[in-house]
Amino acid sequence: MQSENQVQQKPCMLNTLVKDVIQYEIFPILFNKSNYTTFKNARLTSSALQKIVDSVDGELYCQRLRALRIKQLATLSKGTLALTQNGDVYVWGKNIYRPTDARKNTPIKTPKRIKQLKDIKTLVTGDDCILALDASGTVYSWGSNEDGELGLGHYRRVHTPKKINRLSHVKDLVTGSYHCLALTESGEVYAWGHNAYGQLGLGHYDNVNTPTRIEGLHDIQSIVAGKYHTFALTRSGEVYACGRNTSGELGLGHQNDVCRPRKIESLSHIKSLVAGDNHCLALTQEGNVYAWGKNTFGELGLGNEIRVVSTPQRIHSLRGIKSLGAGFCHSAALTESGEVYTWGYNQDGQLGLKHNIRIVRTPHRINELNNIHQLVVADHRCLAITDDGQVYSWGKNNASRLGLRVQDNVNTPKQISELHDVQNIVPAKNHTTAFTHTGKVFVWGENRAFQLGLGHQANDVPTPQQLNKAALVPPTTTKRCAEAAHHKLKITILR
């Protein structure tokens, strides 16, 4: 028998998500296909909805709702991962996960839950490795391991998640191409993997296959990994850098690789950093922007033709900036008021400025974009999410990855008409994933390795397709909720 307090805590979940769950997820289980056809376009009364909520055990129903909500998507070139609100991880694609009973090189055609991962908090991916962080601060890894990037003490490929025993109390993870970093609750940083350029910050240039603490880094707030270089941002806004520096991307005033973290003396009060392949951008707490590194294609936005800038320089035309993005050789900034500015390499239209002038050396506003909430900058393309969840896409269109029903590159932002109420977008090399506030997952682009999870193989999928929502829910939860509703409900319909 429920206590009065328990009854009061039980939510009255009569919102859009609940209606969608009941009408399109539970109905097909409760009724046979012919009856469901009659019901699927009907409108439920509030009393009928309340009966459903009241009749299904509260905790089971909450599990069901959490399972339907996507917290994060992560991508590899040939695979995709989804993390649900209840901490479950699903994978699909090729060479991304292989249970012991699966044949070698067998692709996962539709989302498959990794049963040994529970209560996961976040996922990160390198070029071909995966890390998962759970709520207790424990880290799991699997995938390619040629440079020791799994942190497991050896260099063999691993097909299923394995616990990294040398790590605990971790609060954040980042990966470069082949090196990994972990930030602990106490503000210390551990590094492992590829180290040919000193990007691990351990004082040498040898690969390391177990997490090793970086001496000299304390009170760290966040970490950023470029392709072959690393940054650490302290709580006081100072920046430390190490790794490859052939283009001055460490911001230290020279072009020599560095194997121990060095403070960038000219930066202070830094709020966040982004790293492109060979250039970097920093955002101050006041909303100003600094840039350094390779500048062959104007990607620093400084208005000059100097090919390498080894110390941070302020981009004076940018003020009131909210976030930054760095692609392969282009850059972008989102203002607090929702405007977007771009600069750098533009041969594929990735600046969205209605032309393909190859190099743009200063920031230019994209006039077609307003009220932008989030800006996503990938290698040679960009995507923008508006305040109301609409999505715009532009740039290089390999494998129809822009989602625009066209095959050519696009040099001005175009709305992806199939997407609404979008919460986040995650681009991979040649495919793209997105999820909405109500937990729907959409995928498009290259699908030769089944990386879209649609159950079929195709070279390209040019427009967003929704994944089967039921595939992202533990079957036991679905069955128990449906059985509870089936035995206790009498549903009324309002025509």
Side-chain angles (χ1 to χ4, degrees):
M1 188 156 189
Q2 290 181 317
S3 67
E4 182 178 343
N5 185 46
Q6 287 174 318
V7 173
Q8 288 177 348
Q9 288 180 351
K10 193 177 205 178
C12 179
M13 296 175 279
L14 302 182
N15 53 36
T16 303
L17 172 61
V18 175
K19 292 177 183 178
D20 183 57
V21 170
I22 294 169
Q23 194 153 336
Y24 296 99
E25 299 294 333
I26 292 182
F27 267 22
I29 300 168
L30 292 179
F31 303 104
N32 62 41
K33 187 173 182 180
S34 60
N35 285 338
Y36 175 60
T37 302
T38 303
F39 286 122
K40 71 176 183 178
N41 294 318
R43 185 159 55 94
L44 288 169
T45 65
S46 292
S47 61
L49 284 168
Q50 189 61 62
K51 284 181 182 180
I52 292 175
V53 174
D54 289 340
S55 68
V56 179
D57 179 85
E59 178 57 28
L60 282 176
Y61 202 82
C62 287
Q63 287 177 12
R64 173 66 174 164
L65 291 176
R66 286 197 300 269
L68 283 168
R69 296 294 297 274
I70 299 300
K71 180 180 181 180
Q72 182 194 354
L73 293 169
T75 59
L76 296 167
S77 62
K78 295 182 179 180
T80 306
L81 302 96
L83 173 62
T84 66
Q85 291 284 4
N86 66 350
D88 288 334
V89 176
Y90 292 79
V91 297
W92 58 94
K94 191 174 183 180
N95 295 331
I96 189 170
Y97 169 71
R98 192 175 86 214
T100 54
D101 59 347
R103 290 188 301 173
K104 187 177 181 180
N105 295 325
T106 301
I108 300 173
K109 300 179 181 181
T110 58
K112 181 180 182 65
R113 185 163 66 99
I114 302 180
K115 295 180 181 179
Q116 61 262 55
L117 291 179
K118 298 179 180 178
D119 204 19
I120 298 302
K121 175 183 173 183
T122 190
L123 299 166
V124 297
T125 57
D127 272 21
D128 195 23
C129 72
I130 305 162
L131 303 177
L133 172 64
D134 73 14
S136 71
T138 300
V139 180
Y140 298 83
S141 66
W142 71 101
S144 177
N145 196 30
E146 292 181 6
D147 298 302
E149 56 263 52
L150 299 187
L152 299 172
H154 60 75
Y155 295 95
R156 301 183 301 276
R157 186 178 184 93
V158 174
H159 300 287
T160 58
K162 303 295 181 185
K163 179 181 175 181
I164 302 180
N165 292 316
R166 295 284 295 271
L167 290 174
S168 61
H169 305 292
V170 173
K171 76 170 188 177
D172 196 17
L173 296 164
V174 298
T175 61
S177 285
Y178 306 102
H179 75 289
C180 304
L181 303 160
L183 175 63
T184 68
E185 295 286 353
S186 60
E188 296 180 332
V189 180
Y190 288 76
W192 64 98
H194 187 249
N195 194 36
Y197 303 97
Q199 60 262 48
L200 300 187
L202 301 175
H204 60 77
Y205 296 91
D206 299 323
N207 294 347
V208 176
N209 62 20
T210 56
T212 304
R213 187 171 68 86
I214 302 178
E215 296 180 2
L217 290 183
H218 307 284
D219 199 34
I220 300 302
Q221 174 180 295
S222 63
I223 45 180
V224 175
K227 188 173 184 178
Y228 298 118
H229 56 296
T230 298
F231 295 102
L233 175 62
T234 70
R235 291 188 175 92
S236 61
E238 298 175 338
V239 179
Y240 289 79
C242 60
R244 188 174 71 176
N245 195 33
T246 53
S247 298
E249 55 262 58
L250 299 187
L252 298 172
H254 58 76
Q255 293 173 248
N256 302 316
D257 296 345
V258 175
C259 63
R260 287 194 184 278
R262 294 287 180 262
K263 181 181 175 181
I264 303 179
E265 298 291 347
S266 57
L267 290 179
S268 60
H269 302 100
I270 299 302
K271 179 181 178 181
S272 63
L273 295 136
V274 294
D277 253 31
N278 298 287
H279 75 290
C280 304
L281 305 168
L283 177 63
T284 70
Q285 295 169 3
E286 299 79 22
N288 298 322
V289 179
Y290 287 80
W292 65 96
K294 187 177 180 180
N295 193 40
T296 304
F297 302 103
E299 52 264 63
L300 301 187
L302 300 173
N304 59 46
E305 297 185 13
I306 300 174
R307 297 177 68 87
V308 171
V309 177
S310 60
T311 56
Q313 304 292 317
R314 183 178 169 188
I315 305 177
H316 290 282
S317 61
L318 294 177
R319 296 180 180 86
I321 301 302
K322 174 183 176 182
S323 65
L324 297 167
F328 183 71
C329 291
H330 75 290
S331 306
L334 173 63
T335 70
E336 292 286 355
S337 60
E339 299 173 346
V340 175
Y341 290 80
T342 58
W343 61 97
Y345 189 66
N346 190 43
Q347 183 167 309
D348 303 307
Q350 55 262 60
L351 301 188
L353 299 174
K354 287 187 173 182
H355 61 69
N356 289 75
I357 295 174
R358 187 165 175 261
I359 296 175
V360 177
R361 297 191 178 275
T362 57
H364 284 63
R365 183 186 170 192
I366 302 179
N367 293 320
E368 289 75 18
L369 293 179
N370 295 287
N371 302 314
I372 300 303
H373 170 70
Q374 182 181 348
L375 182 62
V376 179
V377 181
D379 52 358
H380 300 283
R381 58 181 162 139
C382 297
L383 301 107
I385 305 175
T386 66
D387 289 338
D388 59 357
Q390 306 300 312
V391 177
Y392 290 80
S393 178
W394 65 97
K396 195 169 185 177
N397 197 27
N398 287 2
S400 300
R401 60 186 183 172
L402 296 183
L404 296 173
R405 298 179 183 270
V406 298
Q407 294 182 340
D408 297 332
N409 297 340
V410 176
N411 64 17
T412 187
K414 299 291 184 183
Q415 185 176 351
I416 303 177
S417 59
E418 291 83 359
L419 296 179
H420 307 279
D421 192 36
V422 169
Q423 181 177 342
N424 200 9
I425 292 177
V426 180
K429 182 179 179 180
N430 281 322
H431 73 283
T432 310
T433 62
F435 64 94
T436 70
H437 288 91
T438 56
K440 297 176 182 177
V441 178
F442 290 86
V443 293
W444 64 96
E446 185 180 352
N447 194 38
R448 285 176 286 183
F450 296 92
Q451 57 262 61
L452 300 187
L454 298 171
H456 60 78
Q457 188 178 35
N459 287 341
D460 301 333
V461 175
T463 58
Q465 305 293 312
Q466 184 181 351
L467 279 185
N468 180 2
K469 193 183 295 184
L472 296 173
V473 183
T476 53
T477 304
T478 304
K479 183 178 178 181
R480 291 169 70 186
C481 286
E483 287 176 349
H486 181 68
H487 284 96
K488 297 180 182 180
L489 285 188
K490 182 178 179 181
I491 298 174
T492 58
I493 301 295
L494 177 63
R495 297 291 180 187

